[in-house]
Amino acid sequence: MEHSVQESLQTVHDFLAGRIVTGDRLPFSNELLQRAEASGVILKKQGVIKKDGKWHCQRCHCPDASAYVTFNCAKCNQRCAYCRHCIQMGRVASCDELLLWGGDDLYEAKLHTFHWQGQLTDAQSRVTNELVESVKQKKARLIHAVCGAGKTEILFESMAVALNEGWRVCVATPRTDVVLELFPRFQRVFPDTDIHALYGGADVKPSFSPLIVTTTHQLYRFEESFDIVFVDEADAFPYSYDRSLQLAVQKAVKKDGAIMYVTATPTSAQRIKATRNDAYSFIPRRFHGF
Ligand SMILES: [Zn+2]
Ligand SMILES: [Zn+2]
């Protein structure tokens, strides 16, 4: 089937917009990629570069020199380096290319059906309102939700607000099982929205998704993509929110976007900083006695 140039660009945009990926696993044909390249809408970055005398991975931005391995590269016959830190996403070396969308934003915002009739407790309502305000202003917020507080439903309204602004929204968690649990809940709440669930081994869908629920690791494949990222720390013990995952989240959010952290165990430094910025919400355990 012949596609018009515009259709081809739309197809490439829908997958590539907001992502930074290697060219080997694209959900469209090479021919479409070449067409997009000829139209000048594909940006390319080297996988690993030398920056201030140090190796730097352009996918995960890992700052640790020990993450980089140099080797005699059979592909380019030179001394290349690859990044060990994000190698589970497929190896990326200095002579490999990462692809990004460099064309116009072709996402046509639409209204999203928001379908939820559950009941919030007073504490959940208060935090929901605080979160909605922060999302509207694209201002970071720390949600301290103790275990059993019912933290997922406090996200719904602010997600709806962001989606209906035409924004791209991400819910990120370190754990695949949490992605698998959240995905059907979000599908019920936003029944007309094309939601993608991303985790290691998940099918790659070619469409543009305004709402992505993903493991934090998969965010290495995104760059300046989301207006709002909700980070659900998932109360995983002994999980600690390591610096490299923080970097993954930070690079996935747009420059004018904001990150909302949901955690059961904020550090005191996080709490003090958020309180100072008037961006701290606390939600206690729900009362289950009725
Ligand atoms: Zn890397
Ligand atoms: Zn090479």
Side-chain angles (χ1 to χ4, degrees):
M1 199 170 71
E2 260 311 295
H3 292 278
S4 72
V5 171
Q6 197 50 43
E7 280 170 343
S8 307
L9 293 187
Q10 187 74 47
T11 302
V12 174
H13 162 274
D14 287 352
F15 176 75
L16 208 52
R19 299 194 197 229
I20 176 162
V21 294
T22 50
D24 55 344
R25 281 182 10 149
L26 298 171
F28 47 77
S29 69
N30 239 335
E31 193 197 329
L32 283 196
L33 180 65
Q34 282 159 12
R35 228 187 237 211
E37 282 178 333
S39 303
V41 295
I42 304 293
L43 295 179
K44 290 179 177 179
K45 286 187 180 182
Q46 271 174 271
V48 176
I49 56 167
K50 262 263 162 82
K51 200 171 151 187
D52 305 325
K54 289 195 291 192
W55 293 113
H56 177 83
C57 172
Q58 304 223 78
R59 180 167 62 185
C60 75
H61 300 237
C62 181
D64 305 324
S66 62
Y68 298 95
V69 179
T70 50
F71 64 106
N72 292 322
C73 180
K75 199 169 126 196
C76 69
N77 283 321
Q78 294 194 28
R79 200 80 188 138
C80 273
Y82 71 86
C83 169
R84 269 196 309 202
H85 184 256
C86 61
I87 197 158
Q88 68 193 96
M89 310 274 124
R91 192 178 83 170
V92 92
S94 16
C95 65
D96 290 323
E97 281 175 335
L98 295 166
L99 307 178
L100 300 93
W101 175 258
D104 293 337
D105 181 0
L106 302 179
Y107 169 54
E108 263 185 60
K110 54 155 194 154
L111 283 181
H112 297 258
T113 305
F114 175 41
H115 182 80
W116 190 69
Q117 286 162 334
Q119 277 268 300
L120 296 174
T121 64
D122 289 349
Q124 285 176 315
S125 299
R126 174 178 45 78
V127 173
T128 292
N129 293 338
E130 289 167 355
L131 195 52
V132 165
E133 274 318 301
S134 292
V135 164
K136 280 183 184 163
Q137 296 169 32
K138 290 190 175 176
K139 191 174 157 243
R141 177 162 285 276
L142 176 69
I143 311 292
H144 178 185
V146 301
C147 284
K151 60 184 178 175
T152 302
E153 51 265 44
I154 62 168
L155 306 184
F156 293 158
E157 196 169 323
S158 47
M159 288 167 70
V161 165
L163 288 168
N164 283 328
E165 286 285 341
W167 294 344
R168 199 174 201 189
V169 176
C170 172
V171 179
T173 168
R175 283 169 40 189
T176 299
D177 61 321
V178 177
V179 171
L180 295 173
E181 180 202 317
L182 291 176
F183 178 58
R185 290 185 76 178
F186 292 156
Q187 279 186 312
R188 282 194 294 276
V189 174
F190 301 105
D192 302 330
T193 302
D194 184 4
I195 307 173
H196 289 190
L198 303 181
Y199 48 90
D203 287 340
V204 179
K205 292 208 269 173
S207 56
F208 181 93
S209 172
L211 174 56
I212 289 179
V213 48
T214 179
T215 57
T216 328
H217 271 104
Q218 296 294 323
L219 288 180
Y220 290 136
R221 293 204 179 108
F222 288 84
E223 189 157 293
E224 293 183 23
S225 188
F226 300 102
D227 298 278
I228 302 290
V229 179
F230 298 92
V231 178
D232 179 346
E233 285 203 327
D235 324 329
F237 185 79
Y239 170 74
S240 70
Y241 190 52
D242 73 63
R243 189 171 51 130
S244 62
L245 290 182
Q246 290 183 40
L247 281 175
V249 173
Q250 278 158 12
K251 86 179 187 87
V253 69
K254 286 181 185 168
K255 287 215 165 69
D256 68 344
I259 302 168
M260 312 289 157
Y261 288 100
V262 186
T263 176
T265 52
T267 64
S268 53
Q270 283 175 322
R271 238 158 107 164
I272 289 164
K273 189 178 164 215
T275 307
R276 212 177 268 152
N277 293 336
D278 195 20
Y280 173 75
S281 294
F282 176 71
I283 171 160
R285 192 173 227 289
R286 259 184 307 201
F287 178 55
H288 282 295
F290 50 89

